Amino acid sequence: MDELDEFFSTSNDSSQAHTRFLQFHKFFLPCMYVVVFICGLVGNSLVLIIYIFYQRLKSLTDLFLMNLPLADLLFVSTLPFWAYTGFHEWVFGNIMCKTMLGIYTMNFYTSMLILTCITVDRFIAVAWVTKAYNEQGKWMTWGKAICSSVWVVSLLGSLPQIIYGSVQHLDKSICGYHEEEISVVVLATQMTLGFFLPLLAMIVCYSVIIKILHHVQGFQKHKSLKIIFLIVSVFLLTQTPFNLVKLICSTSWEYYTMTSFYYAITVTEVIAYLRACFNPVLYAFVGQKFRKNFRKLLKDIGCPYLGPSNQRKSSESTYKTCSTTHNVEASSMFQL
């Protein structure tokens, strides 16, 4: 998290550009951490509350959509610590440093791997709609095993940060990962699990889904295609810049002397973290069933109930009379 702080704390560059960047970095990054924390906390907490108290886990999609906000929620919970450190310095001790680095990294991996699982799940629901519908119990058992495996793999992936993370005392105390010998392996793992694997899954699975939807009759395919396009676009726009900067950084050390390069790292890092704010909207609030339960939550806390009163009856009637084509509609893209 604090590679920039460590670099500039040991740098002898006293140029005006360097000074301007230090001021920018000191205020911009912590402020954005707070914004992402608040938005991510509210959005993911709402999703988690609804899935725990209002929405029974009836499908593999529901299982994944409950694990995703949990991972994002734990991820954003570390941001206030980094925000305080950006304004001041790390004052929470060495054990807390390892803990925060571990939680931050583990839930980053978990979030990205769950996104990959959701993508594959949507592919199975569309490509093998009848089999997926008839074997929901079997898929749920597999889903629980997959979610457990994702958390274990993410924990293993975060071990370097936990083991080698420490507080260094330079111009100020900095919590970070300082083991250069295995940094290439760590970077390769982060880019593989956190970017290339989800991207490959989206390209392959959504390409097949789009092809299938084009041949389905009597289906609101345009809405599903828009959601697919939105999901892929948000992922590319938020994750590609930061991963590209990290890749450039790892291949050419000359960029470490360029102040403009550190502007790019700072800004793209914040953009990448915005995924924790967008995930609840993209993967939960687009579903009719989730929105219905969200209205129930609003009603329970005293807000006026919004939405047509006959929505439930209509949805139940549609479910009872659905054909294979309508099964595709019910399961294709987050129960639209």
Side-chain angles (χ1 to χ4, degrees):
M1 292 287 293
D2 290 301
E3 292 88 349
L4 297 184
D5 288 331
E6 182 177 351
F7 172 80
F8 282 112
S9 294
T10 58
S11 173
N12 294 322
D13 181 14
S14 58
S15 67
Q16 189 175 8
H18 163 69
T19 303
R20 284 198 301 267
F21 173 79
L22 287 178
Q23 293 296 319
F24 170 79
H25 179 261
K26 181 177 180 179
F27 291 99
F28 174 77
L29 205 55
C31 289
M32 293 308 299
Y33 283 163
V34 172
V35 171
V36 174
F37 167 72
I38 294 174
C39 295
L41 179 67
V42 172
N44 289 288
S45 295
L46 279 174
V47 174
L48 205 56
I49 288 171
I50 289 173
Y51 269 100
I52 291 175
F53 296 104
Y54 291 88
Q55 196 157 317
R56 295 189 341 189
L57 302 181
K58 295 182 179 179
S59 67
L60 193 57
T61 303
D62 292 336
L63 186 62
F64 289 143
L65 288 180
M66 190 182 74
N67 278 266
L68 180 62
L70 178 60
D72 285 337
L73 203 56
L74 291 173
F75 172 82
V76 300
S77 69
T78 66
L79 295 182
F81 293 90
W82 306 119
Y84 181 88
T85 303
F87 278 122
H88 303 285
E89 63 178 351
W90 185 265
V91 297
F92 307 104
N94 200 55
I95 294 179
M96 197 65 173
C97 173
K98 291 178 179 290
T99 303
M100 287 297 103
L101 284 173
I103 293 175
Y104 164 84
T105 307
M106 183 180 73
N107 290 286
F108 165 76
Y109 286 142
T110 302
S111 180
M112 289 304 182
L113 290 175
I114 290 294
L115 290 182
T116 305
C117 292
I118 291 174
T119 302
V120 176
D121 172 54
R122 294 299 82 209
F123 166 77
I124 293 173
V126 174
W128 300 315
V129 56
T130 304
K131 185 177 181 180
Y133 181 78
N134 292 334
E135 299 184 3
Q136 282 188 356
K138 181 180 178 181
W139 287 115
M140 282 292 288
T141 302
W142 277 102
K144 293 176 182 177
I146 291 171
C147 288
S148 299
S149 301
V150 164
W151 285 95
V152 172
V153 169
S154 300
L155 177 61
L156 294 175
S158 66
L159 285 180
Q161 280 75 14
I162 298 175
I163 295 172
Y164 297 106
S166 63
V167 179
Q168 286 193 352
H169 303 281
L170 302 170
D171 291 345
K172 62 179 183 178
S173 296
I174 298 170
C175 171
Y177 172 77
H178 312 294
E179 189 63 31
E180 296 294 337
E181 286 75 8
I182 61 173
S183 59
V184 175
V185 176
V186 172
L187 178 63
T189 304
Q190 288 178 343
M191 297 198 68
T192 300
L193 297 181
F195 181 69
F196 290 116
L197 181 61
L199 179 62
L200 179 63
M202 287 183 179
I203 291 174
V204 174
C205 294
Y206 286 141
S207 296
V208 175
I209 289 174
I210 290 172
K211 183 178 179 180
I212 293 174
L213 293 182
H214 273 299
H215 293 86
V216 175
Q217 301 295 326
F219 171 59
Q220 293 181 346
K221 65 180 70 176
H222 297 297
K223 187 174 183 180
S224 291
L225 293 177
K226 287 179 181 179
I227 293 175
I228 292 174
F229 177 76
L230 186 60
I231 289 171
V232 176
S233 298
V234 168
F235 181 84
L236 290 175
L237 290 175
T238 58
Q239 303 306 309
T240 302
F242 189 45
N243 281 277
L244 183 61
V245 169
K246 288 195 298 184
L247 187 61
I248 294 173
C249 177
S250 65
T251 57
S252 180
W253 287 97
E254 66 185 45
Y255 289 99
Y256 276 100
T257 63
M258 299 171 58
T259 303
S260 58
F261 184 70
Y262 282 88
Y263 276 105
I265 292 179
T266 303
V267 174
T268 56
E269 178 186 347
V270 171
I271 294 174
Y273 293 167
L274 289 176
R275 64 176 174 77
C277 305
F278 293 143
N279 282 346
V281 178
L282 289 176
Y283 294 93
F285 282 97
V286 296
Q288 287 184 0
K289 182 170 66 173
F290 184 90
R291 291 201 303 270
K292 181 179 69 176
N293 289 323
F294 178 65
R295 294 187 185 98
K296 290 181 181 178
L297 173 62
L298 292 180
K299 183 180 180 181
D300 289 345
I301 63 177
C303 295
Y305 181 80
L306 302 176
S309 59
N310 62 343
Q311 181 179 4
R312 181 174 181 178
K313 293 180 180 179
S314 176
S315 62
E316 289 177 351
S317 176
T318 302
Y319 175 78
K320 291 178 181 178
T321 60
C322 65
S323 62
T324 301
T325 299
H326 289 99
N327 280 337
V328 177
E329 180 176 357
S331 62
S332 61
M333 288 304 301
F334 318 111
Q335 297 146 339
L336 293 173

